[in-house]
Amino acid sequence: MAGLKEIRTRIASVKTTRQVTSAMKMVSAAKLKKAQDAILQIRPYAEKLHQILTSLSASLENVEDSVYTQSRIPAKVLVILVSSNRGLCGGFNTNIAKKAIELVKTKYSQQLQLGNVEFICLGKQGERQLKHRGMKVSGNKNEIYDELTFDNVNEIASEIMKAFVERSYDRVELVYNQFKNAAVQVQTSEQFLPVEIEEDDEAQNTNFDFIYEPSKEYIIQELIPRSLKIQFYKALLDSNAAEHGARMTAMHQATDNATALLGDLTLQYNKARQATITNEILEIVSGAEALKG
């Protein structure tokens, strides 16, 4: 059994750890509220924008003329991995890195063997895990989390869209954690470019006598890049909210574990202390009996 001093040291260490994890839990809870409000506000806008785009596209025949909708053989593939800069958030970063690697190994296995799959990382943790697994990371935008605004995200999205237009890449995939609630994150992969406009049967069967100014074609060409930037921004907001939720949950579990461990150590300390006192009493009694004899 460990000595009393060693147990006291461990108790003090666990108490300090519990204070840290409890503080981190409260900080993450505060940040989660703000991040959750942001993603819940943008989701209806993004969904409505996509709905308008789909509705207009259903009535046009030359939507494929857009540079962002041109489908090419994916000789060169870019995967954008959205993770976090900091750890201590459970399996948040590990799971999304595994999702990205699984995506390229199953969907783009030939391109991967030829070395034509590249990653751009938004988050230090994801970048570290990809490099550890031997993946080709061509760049990162880790500083985006210093100020996560639409203007800053817009710059990154514009660079990626420009690279696609210039045929630096034929396919762009977006991999991120989608926020569901504080305890659940859904690992999501979406094709970012080229844009796949789904057919909307309801929109095709509904006839509205709308007058468009300017033309439908012009609106479509304007909506596609705007929709891409909103989609990209929404993915980062999703990941940001999911990160704080994951960290809050992880720190909550760590605090509970520290409390349980503290209880076990206290019980162990009391038993050791009781055993020490008992031994001291036995020594005194033995000494007294020896003097009598």
Side-chain angles (χ1 to χ4, degrees), residues 35-288:
Q36 186 175 353
D37 290 342
I39 185 59
L40 291 179
Q41 287 173 5
I42 199 173
R43 273 180 181 171
Y45 175 72
E47 291 173 0
K48 192 64 178 178
L49 186 63
H50 180 73
Q51 181 182 346
I52 293 172
L53 182 63
T54 303
S55 178
L56 285 173
S57 303
S59 60
L60 295 178
E61 297 180 355
N62 59 342
V63 182
E64 292 78 8
D65 292 343
S66 171
V67 292
Y68 301 114
T69 58
Q70 294 176 358
S71 181
R72 307 190 289 261
I73 297 175
K76 296 181 180 179
V77 180
L78 175 66
V79 180
I80 307 166
L81 176 61
V82 185
S83 59
S84 70
N85 281 335
R86 297 188 298 132
L88 297 177
C89 47
F92 177 83
N93 294 301
T94 303
N95 292 337
I96 199 61
K98 287 181 179 179
K99 177 73 175 180
I101 294 172
E102 180 186 357
L103 172 70
V104 297
K105 284 186 175 180
T106 55
K107 191 174 181 180
Y108 303 108
S109 58
Q110 294 182 353
Q111 293 87 339
L112 182 63
Q113 292 176 357
L114 295 173
N116 291 333
V117 175
E118 296 182 8
F119 286 86
I120 288 182
C121 297
L122 281 71
K124 296 178 182 178
Q125 299 296 322
E127 180 182 5
R128 180 179 60 81
Q129 296 204 26
L130 288 179
K131 288 182 176 179
H132 180 70
R133 289 170 172 79
M135 295 296 167
K136 185 178 180 181
V137 179
S138 59
N140 66 70
K141 301 292 182 180
N142 300 331
E143 69 281 356
I144 188 63
Y145 292 109
D146 296 338
E147 191 174 355
L148 188 57
T149 63
F150 179 75
D151 290 337
N152 292 336
V153 174
N154 184 27
E155 293 180 6
I156 300 174
S158 297
E159 290 179 13
I160 295 170
M161 292 161 64
K162 181 181 178 182
F164 176 79
V165 173
E166 294 175 350
R167 295 179 177 267
S168 298
Y169 305 104
D170 302 304
R171 183 75 56 82
V172 180
E173 297 278 354
L174 186 59
V175 184
Y176 65 97
N177 281 290
Q178 188 179 57
F179 175 77
K180 187 172 183 181
N181 55 53
V184 179
Q185 302 84 40
V186 182
Q187 287 76 47
T188 305
S189 61
E190 297 175 351
Q191 181 174 308
F192 186 63
L193 286 166
V195 177
E196 292 183 322
I197 299 177
E198 302 172 357
E199 293 186 1
D200 191 342
D201 296 334
E202 183 178 348
Q204 290 180 341
N205 296 330
T206 305
N207 295 320
F208 294 109
D209 190 16
F210 288 139
I211 298 176
Y212 294 96
E213 182 65 32
S215 65
K216 290 182 181 181
E217 291 79 5
Y218 180 83
I219 294 174
I220 284 290
Q221 299 307 317
E222 288 293 315
L223 275 184
I224 289 176
R226 184 181 295 271
S227 177
L228 283 169
K229 293 172 182 177
I230 291 296
Q231 177 189 355
F232 196 80
Y233 184 48
K234 183 180 76 68
L236 264 73
L237 290 181
D238 253 316
S239 180
N240 188 47
E243 176 193 348
H244 293 309
R247 182 169 291 109
M248 186 187 73
T249 302
M251 292 301 100
H252 176 74
Q253 293 175 347
T255 302
D256 289 346
N257 291 339
T259 301
L261 180 58
L262 193 60
D264 293 340
L265 287 173
T266 302
L267 180 61
Q268 186 179 347
Y269 175 79
N270 291 335
K271 287 182 178 180
R273 185 167 176 270
Q274 184 179 16
T276 302
I277 294 173
T278 302
N279 288 334
E280 291 177 354
I281 292 174
L282 288 175
E283 289 176 1
I284 295 171
V285 172
S286 299

Side-chain angles (χ1 to χ4, degrees), residues 2-16 262 265-266 268-270 272-273 276:
L4 291 175
K5 184 178 180 181
E6 182 182 348
I7 298 175
R8 282 198 300 267
T9 302
R10 291 189 62 192
I11 289 175
S13 176
V14 172
K15 283 184 177 179
T16 302
L262 193 60
L265 287 173
T266 302
Q268 186 179 347
Y269 175 79
N270 291 335
R273 185 167 176 270
T276 302

